[in-house]
Amino acid sequence: MRLTDWQLAFEQHLLSETAVANSGFAATLLGGPTLDVDTGLAIYHNAYVSRLQEVLRHDFGAIWYWLGDDEFALLTQAYVRRYPSAHYSLRWLGERFPAFIVEHLVAEQSAPLAELARLEWAFTLAFDAPQGEPLTLNDMAQLPPEAWPGLQVALAPSVQQMLCHFNTVAIWRASKDESDFPDSHSLELAQVCLVWRHQNVCHYRSLEPSEACALAGMVATGWSFSELCAELAVTYKEGAPLQAVTWLKQWIQDGLLEFRAS
């Protein structure tokens, strides 16, 4: 057997559903005085799956906390069989996990669980995202007065947005605090949750609808600062500029924004 053929056979063994090796492949190996071939290959097989599950426990700790050891092990074992690691870095192993939960479980169970998985994956993406050039309050202090009306901004590269239909943030927080786990329930009104990295620390917060709409207007629709004020005037009247400045200051302090590219 050529080396490349042997390597492929070994890979197939690791990825197979059973720890029992193909007899033809096993015949190419020699056992030792204390460990026979079949036992050794079973150890490799089980260790490979265990290592992948360890990565998923790290990336989806709240899911693990929710399901417990046994159910999480069954779910992740099914996942790594359905979607074997295809990247040289294990950092991407969990990329399809939220979608797999939807595929694998019934809708009533999968919807809140998949949303929690998406939130946890958002933290992974935020942590690994490029730094970008987040705006600072000093940047704004140096902005000429005539530049304010046309000011346009974009989200910093690390900012992840998701719409939460369940009390997902509370469940995630409980898992981190190792406190009593709240019952999962749907929210009366879906909430936008932001996850981002600022000064090498990941942060998160939910936005009230009015703030979420204002932020989306600037970073997605492309409103200028003057357009933001005009939109807010419908609700806040003469207080619109103050509200716009208040939110803009908060977003900049949080490290959410950078200048929009021309």
Side-chain angles (χ1 to χ4, degrees), residues 237-254:
K237 309 301 181 185
E238 65 275 3
L242 177 60
Q243 183 60 68
V245 168
T246 300
W247 276 336
L248 185 62
K249 180 181 179 181
Q250 181 65 58
W251 299 335
I252 291 172
Q253 285 180 322
D254 287 343

PDB file of all heavy atoms in Angstrom, residues 237-254:
ATOM      1  N   LYS A 237     -38.932  65.284  17.816  1.00  0.00           N
ATOM      2  CA  LYS A 237     -39.160  66.715  17.566  1.00  0.00           C
ATOM      3  C   LYS A 237     -37.851  67.497  17.691  1.00  0.00           C
ATOM      4  O   LYS A 237     -36.844  67.121  17.122  1.00  0.00           O
ATOM      5  CB  LYS A 237     -40.232  67.264  18.519  1.00  0.00           C
ATOM      6  CG  LYS A 237     -41.512  66.446  18.557  1.00  0.00           C
ATOM      7  CD  LYS A 237     -42.174  66.346  17.197  1.00  0.00           C
ATOM      8  CE  LYS A 237     -43.462  65.529  17.284  1.00  0.00           C
ATOM      9  NZ  LYS A 237     -44.078  65.303  15.973  1.00  0.00           N
ATOM     10  N   GLU A 238     -37.882  68.583  18.491  1.00  0.00           N
ATOM     11  CA  GLU A 238     -36.690  69.423  18.621  1.00  0.00           C
ATOM     12  C   GLU A 238     -35.566  68.728  19.385  1.00  0.00           C
ATOM     13  O   GLU A 238     -34.422  69.189  19.382  1.00  0.00           O
ATOM     14  CB  GLU A 238     -37.043  70.751  19.303  1.00  0.00           C
ATOM     15  CG  GLU A 238     -37.503  70.633  20.751  1.00  0.00           C
ATOM     16  CD  GLU A 238     -38.992  70.331  20.876  1.00  0.00           C
ATOM     17  OE1 GLU A 238     -39.650  70.149  19.825  1.00  0.00           O
ATOM     18  OE2 GLU A 238     -39.486  70.295  22.018  1.00  0.00           O
ATOM     19  N   GLY A 239     -35.888  67.627  20.043  1.00  0.00           N
ATOM     20  CA  GLY A 239     -34.851  66.879  20.764  1.00  0.00           C
ATOM     21  C   GLY A 239     -34.092  65.900  19.890  1.00  0.00           C
ATOM     22  O   GLY A 239     -33.214  65.183  20.385  1.00  0.00           O
ATOM     23  N   ALA A 240     -34.403  65.870  18.595  1.00  0.00           N
ATOM     24  CA  ALA A 240     -33.774  64.899  17.694  1.00  0.00           C
ATOM     25  C   ALA A 240     -32.250  65.029  17.640  1.00  0.00           C
ATOM     26  O   ALA A 240     -31.543  64.018  17.741  1.00  0.00           O
ATOM     27  CB  ALA A 240     -34.376  65.018  16.299  1.00  0.00           C
ATOM     28  N   PRO A 241     -31.685  66.236  17.476  1.00  0.00           N
ATOM     29  CA  PRO A 241     -30.213  66.327  17.422  1.00  0.00           C
ATOM     30  C   PRO A 241     -29.541  65.811  18.695  1.00  0.00           C
ATOM     31  O   PRO A 241     -28.505  65.136  18.625  1.00  0.00           O
ATOM     32  CB  PRO A 241     -29.965  67.826  17.218  1.00  0.00           C
ATOM     33  CG  PRO A 241     -31.205  68.320  16.554  1.00  0.00           C
ATOM     34  CD  PRO A 241     -32.318  67.538  17.184  1.00  0.00           C
ATOM     35  N   LEU A 242     -30.136  66.112  19.853  1.00  0.00           N
ATOM     36  CA  LEU A 242     -29.554  65.639  21.113  1.00  0.00           C
ATOM     37  C   LEU A 242     -29.591  64.117  21.187  1.00  0.00           C
ATOM     38  O   LEU A 242     -28.616  63.480  21.602  1.00  0.00           O
ATOM     39  CB  LEU A 242     -30.303  66.245  22.300  1.00  0.00           C
ATOM     40  CG  LEU A 242     -29.839  65.766  23.688  1.00  0.00           C
ATOM     41  CD1 LEU A 242     -28.367  66.094  23.909  1.00  0.00           C
ATOM     42  CD2 LEU A 242     -30.708  66.391  24.780  1.00  0.00           C
ATOM     43  N   GLN A 243     -30.717  63.523  20.763  1.00  0.00           N
ATOM     44  CA  GLN A 243     -30.811  62.062  20.786  1.00  0.00           C
ATOM     45  C   GLN A 243     -29.819  61.445  19.811  1.00  0.00           C
ATOM     46  O   GLN A 243     -29.171  60.433  20.115  1.00  0.00           O
ATOM     47  CB  GLN A 243     -32.228  61.616  20.431  1.00  0.00           C
ATOM     48  CG  GLN A 243     -32.438  60.106  20.504  1.00  0.00           C
ATOM     49  CD  GLN A 243     -32.189  59.543  21.883  1.00  0.00           C
ATOM     50  OE1 GLN A 243     -32.934  59.810  22.820  1.00  0.00           O
ATOM     51  NE2 GLN A 243     -31.127  58.770  22.031  1.00  0.00           N
ATOM     52  N   ALA A 244     -29.672  62.056  18.650  1.00  0.00           N
ATOM     53  CA  ALA A 244     -28.727  61.546  17.651  1.00  0.00           C
ATOM     54  C   ALA A 244     -27.299  61.586  18.188  1.00  0.00           C
ATOM     55  O   ALA A 244     -26.535  60.616  18.042  1.00  0.00           O
ATOM     56  CB  ALA A 244     -28.837  62.359  16.364  1.00  0.00           C
ATOM     57  N   VAL A 245     -26.929  62.690  18.813  1.00  0.00           N
ATOM     58  CA  VAL A 245     -25.578  62.822  19.372  1.00  0.00           C
ATOM     59  C   VAL A 245     -25.373  61.833  20.517  1.00  0.00           C
ATOM     60  O   VAL A 245     -24.300  61.234  20.658  1.00  0.00           O
ATOM     61  CB  VAL A 245     -25.332  64.269  19.848  1.00  0.00           C
ATOM     62  CG1 VAL A 245     -24.067  64.348  20.697  1.00  0.00           C
ATOM     63  CG2 VAL A 245     -25.219  65.209  18.655  1.00  0.00           C
ATOM     64  N   THR A 246     -26.403  61.643  21.337  1.00  0.00           N
ATOM     65  CA  THR A 246     -26.299  60.711  22.470  1.00  0.00           C
ATOM     66  C   THR A 246     -26.020  59.300  21.990  1.00  0.00           C
ATOM     67  O   THR A 246     -25.136  58.608  22.510  1.00  0.00           O
ATOM     68  CB  THR A 246     -27.594  60.739  23.302  1.00  0.00           C
ATOM     69  OG1 THR A 246     -27.812  62.063  23.804  1.00  0.00           O
ATOM     70  CG2 THR A 246     -27.510  59.757  24.464  1.00  0.00           C
ATOM     71  N   TRP A 247     -26.781  58.850  20.987  1.00  0.00           N
ATOM     72  CA  TRP A 247     -26.562  57.505  20.463  1.00  0.00           C
ATOM     73  C   TRP A 247     -25.207  57.403  19.765  1.00  0.00           C
ATOM     74  O   TRP A 247     -24.483  56.423  19.944  1.00  0.00           O
ATOM     75  CB  TRP A 247     -27.682  57.134  19.495  1.00  0.00           C
ATOM     76  CG  TRP A 247     -28.902  56.605  20.178  1.00  0.00           C
ATOM     77  CD1 TRP A 247     -28.967  56.007  21.411  1.00  0.00           C
ATOM     78  CD2 TRP A 247     -30.235  56.621  19.668  1.00  0.00           C
ATOM     79  NE1 TRP A 247     -30.263  55.648  21.696  1.00  0.00           N
ATOM     80  CE2 TRP A 247     -31.061  56.005  20.644  1.00  0.00           C
ATOM     81  CE3 TRP A 247     -30.819  57.086  18.492  1.00  0.00           C
ATOM     82  CZ2 TRP A 247     -32.439  55.847  20.469  1.00  0.00           C
ATOM     83  CZ3 TRP A 247     -32.188  56.928  18.315  1.00  0.00           C
ATOM     84  CH2 TRP A 247     -32.993  56.315  19.302  1.00  0.00           C
ATOM     85  N   LEU A 248     -24.870  58.409  18.971  1.00  0.00           N
ATOM     86  CA  LEU A 248     -23.604  58.375  18.249  1.00  0.00           C
ATOM     87  C   LEU A 248     -22.433  58.286  19.227  1.00  0.00           C
ATOM     88  O   LEU A 248     -21.485  57.517  19.013  1.00  0.00           O
ATOM     89  CB  LEU A 248     -23.473  59.617  17.366  1.00  0.00           C
ATOM     90  CG  LEU A 248     -22.248  59.661  16.443  1.00  0.00           C
ATOM     91  CD1 LEU A 248     -22.280  58.519  15.438  1.00  0.00           C
ATOM     92  CD2 LEU A 248     -22.181  61.007  15.716  1.00  0.00           C
ATOM     93  N   LYS A 249     -22.505  59.050  20.303  1.00  0.00           N
ATOM     94  CA  LYS A 249     -21.444  59.005  21.314  1.00  0.00           C
ATOM     95  C   LYS A 249     -21.347  57.613  21.927  1.00  0.00           C
ATOM     96  O   LYS A 249     -20.242  57.080  22.117  1.00  0.00           O
ATOM     97  CB  LYS A 249     -21.713  60.048  22.400  1.00  0.00           C
ATOM     98  CG  LYS A 249     -20.648  60.066  23.495  1.00  0.00           C
ATOM     99  CD  LYS A 249     -20.966  61.113  24.562  1.00  0.00           C
ATOM    100  CE  LYS A 249     -19.915  61.104  25.664  1.00  0.00           C
ATOM    101  NZ  LYS A 249     -20.228  62.106  26.727  1.00  0.00           N
ATOM    102  N   GLN A 250     -22.498  57.014  22.235  1.00  0.00           N
ATOM    103  CA  GLN A 250     -22.500  55.675  22.823  1.00  0.00           C
ATOM    104  C   GLN A 250     -21.901  54.655  21.864  1.00  0.00           C
ATOM    105  O   GLN A 250     -21.076  53.817  22.252  1.00  0.00           O
ATOM    106  CB  GLN A 250     -23.930  55.267  23.180  1.00  0.00           C
ATOM    107  CG  GLN A 250     -24.049  53.883  23.816  1.00  0.00           C
ATOM    108  CD  GLN A 250     -23.374  53.808  25.165  1.00  0.00           C
ATOM    109  OE1 GLN A 250     -23.721  54.561  26.066  1.00  0.00           O
ATOM    110  NE2 GLN A 250     -22.394  52.921  25.307  1.00  0.00           N
ATOM    111  N   TRP A 251     -22.293  54.722  20.599  1.00  0.00           N
ATOM    112  CA  TRP A 251     -21.778  53.767  19.614  1.00  0.00           C
ATOM    113  C   TRP A 251     -20.265  53.901  19.455  1.00  0.00           C
ATOM    114  O   TRP A 251     -19.564  52.902  19.299  1.00  0.00           O
ATOM    115  CB  TRP A 251     -22.467  53.989  18.265  1.00  0.00           C
ATOM    116  CG  TRP A 251     -23.956  53.801  18.297  1.00  0.00           C
ATOM    117  CD1 TRP A 251     -24.676  53.033  19.179  1.00  0.00           C
ATOM    118  CD2 TRP A 251     -24.920  54.403  17.421  1.00  0.00           C
ATOM    119  NE1 TRP A 251     -26.016  53.119  18.908  1.00  0.00           N
ATOM    120  CE2 TRP A 251     -26.205  53.949  17.832  1.00  0.00           C
ATOM    121  CE3 TRP A 251     -24.835  55.269  16.339  1.00  0.00           C
ATOM    122  CZ2 TRP A 251     -27.379  54.341  17.191  1.00  0.00           C
ATOM    123  CZ3 TRP A 251     -26.004  55.661  15.696  1.00  0.00           C
ATOM    124  CH2 TRP A 251     -27.261  55.200  16.117  1.00  0.00           C
ATOM    125  N   ILE A 252     -19.788  55.137  19.499  1.00  0.00           N
ATOM    126  CA  ILE A 252     -18.348  55.363  19.348  1.00  0.00           C
ATOM    127  C   ILE A 252     -17.599  54.905  20.599  1.00  0.00           C
ATOM    128  O   ILE A 252     -16.548  54.260  20.513  1.00  0.00           O
ATOM    129  CB  ILE A 252     -18.068  56.846  19.035  1.00  0.00           C
ATOM    130  CG1 ILE A 252     -18.579  57.173  17.628  1.00  0.00           C
ATOM    131  CG2 ILE A 252     -16.578  57.158  19.147  1.00  0.00           C
ATOM    132  CD1 ILE A 252     -18.542  58.640  17.280  1.00  0.00           C
ATOM    133  N   GLN A 253     -18.134  55.207  21.768  1.00  0.00           N
ATOM    134  CA  GLN A 253     -17.501  54.740  23.005  1.00  0.00           C
ATOM    135  C   GLN A 253     -17.437  53.213  23.052  1.00  0.00           C
ATOM    136  O   GLN A 253     -16.474  52.638  23.565  1.00  0.00           O
ATOM    137  CB  GLN A 253     -18.264  55.262  24.220  1.00  0.00           C
ATOM    138  CG  GLN A 253     -18.028  56.730  24.522  1.00  0.00           C
ATOM    139  CD  GLN A 253     -18.815  57.199  25.729  1.00  0.00           C
ATOM    140  OE1 GLN A 253     -19.953  56.793  25.946  1.00  0.00           O
ATOM    141  NE2 GLN A 253     -18.207  58.064  26.527  1.00  0.00           N
ATOM    142  N   ASP A 254     -18.456  52.572  22.509  1.00  0.00           N
ATOM    143  CA  ASP A 254     -18.484  51.109  22.488  1.00  0.00           C
ATOM    144  C   ASP A 254     -17.506  50.523  21.469  1.00  0.00           C
ATOM    145  O   ASP A 254     -17.202  49.326  21.522  1.00  0.00           O
ATOM    146  CB  ASP A 254     -19.897  50.610  22.159  1.00  0.00           C
ATOM    147  CG  ASP A 254     -20.862  50.788  23.315  1.00  0.00           C
ATOM    148  OD1 ASP A 254     -20.401  50.984  24.453  1.00  0.00           O
ATOM    149  OD2 ASP A 254     -22.091  50.725  23.076  1.00  0.00           O
TER     150      ASP A 254
END
